[in-house]
Amino acid sequence: AGGLLAEWVLTLDAATLTGDEQLNLITRLETCKRWLEAAQLDAMTAFTRTRSREAPPAAQVSAEEDAAAEIGCELGIPPGLARARLDHAHRLGTEFPALREALRAGRIDEYRTRVVSDAAPTDWDPATTTAYAARMLATMGHTSGVKLKNLAKKTVLELDPARAEERKARTIAMRQVRIDHGEAAHAPGTGSVSITDIDTVDALAIHQRLGAIARALRTDTPGAANTTAAQKELTLD
């Protein structure tokens, strides 16, 4: 763990190994990959600091954005994604050292560190942030995907219920619902509904409910059985 990949691995024919050896190789490669992810994040933050020092005073304000653009260009990813990884690397180094060390040791991958850190409020005090990271490392195990996100949200709520309710109230107050009827970009008889500042779970529930209503309307449309073949299949839109 934490070592560089030996050169012989690059030319290793896995087919010559036994099953146990192949499984061991897979595990060691995964550990090495996670260590490399941590090393790359560290290098990104170092590169940003270097570019900021190298930039003339007039350009130092945009030095971080320029660094993200350079990284994105070299890695072949959009500047926005590069900037998101830079921000994540900075949070790991300053707010979540325990997550960073777990990544370096190969116990978790970068994806899990991102889910855990993204769920934590940026205005927490250091003690609460440390307690949150410790609890997540102790409880998440191999959990991933939606289950991991839900666990992170639940932990945040348990550690700071009052402020969690305040944030929820502010988010609800900022929600906006817009309904556009028959715009030129839409097919005749259709429109669009857009909701901003809404929780993903709530948005999915609304989407499923609208789908159920649409399916019921399509089934109950009078005369649908007597229309031509081209008109018979009504779309959910």
Side-chain angles (χ1 to χ4, degrees):
L4 291 176
L5 193 64
E7 290 186 9
W8 61 266
V9 173
L10 301 178
T11 58
L12 177 65
D13 183 3
T16 63
L17 305 177
T18 66
D20 289 342
E21 290 171 339
Q22 291 168 345
L23 185 60
N24 186 45
L25 176 63
I26 292 170
T27 303
R28 288 179 179 272
L29 289 174
E30 178 64 23
T31 300
C32 189
K33 184 189 76 172
R34 295 177 182 183
W35 178 83
L36 289 172
E37 288 174 342
Q40 186 185 52
L41 292 175
D42 289 346
M44 286 182 174
T45 56
F47 174 72
T48 303
R49 290 193 296 267
T50 299
R51 280 292 188 255
S52 297
R53 291 195 304 267
E54 295 173 344
Q60 286 181 355
V61 175
S62 61
E64 193 166 324
E65 290 290 344
D66 293 341
E70 285 189 81
I71 291 174
C73 182
E74 291 297 324
L75 297 182
I77 60 177
L81 179 56
R83 180 56 191 266
R85 292 199 67 197
L86 273 176
D87 292 341
H88 177 58
H90 178 72
R91 287 199 78 185
L92 282 186
T94 57
E95 301 177 43
F96 296 99
L99 291 180
R100 176 180 172 274
E101 290 306 312
L103 178 61
R104 288 180 61 87
R107 296 196 301 273
I108 57 177
D109 55 15
E110 183 183 351
Y111 163 76
R112 286 183 174 83
T113 66
R114 184 181 298 277
V115 172
V116 174
S117 64
D118 286 351
T122 57
D123 57 354
W124 261 356
D125 60 88
T128 305
T129 302
T130 300
Y132 165 72
R135 183 179 298 188
M136 288 299 300
L137 286 171
T139 59
M140 66 174 151
H142 297 291
T143 305
S144 62
V146 175
K147 290 184 178 179
L148 179 60
K149 294 179 181 178
N150 289 340
L151 176 61
K153 290 181 180 179
K154 178 183 177 182
T155 305
V156 169
L157 181 61
E158 291 174 349
L159 288 173
D160 193 3
R163 296 178 72 181
E165 287 300 321
E166 291 177 4
R167 286 189 293 271
K168 181 178 180 180
R170 289 197 302 267
T171 300
I172 292 176
M174 294 175 63
R175 287 182 183 173
Q176 296 180 359
V177 180
R178 187 178 67 214
I179 303 176
D180 297 322
H181 296 284
E183 291 184 344
H186 300 133
T190 67
S192 68
V193 179
S194 60
I195 307 175
T196 59
D197 286 313
I198 186 171
D199 183 80
T200 306
V201 176
D202 293 339
L204 179 60
I206 291 174
H207 184 274
Q208 292 173 336
R209 177 59 178 156
L210 289 174
I213 294 173
R215 282 189 292 273
L217 289 173
R218 182 171 61 178
T219 301
D220 296 338
T221 299
N226 300 322
T227 60
T228 63
Q231 298 172 323
K232 189 172 183 179
E233 287 298 328
L234 301 176
T235 67
L236 288 182
D237 287 341

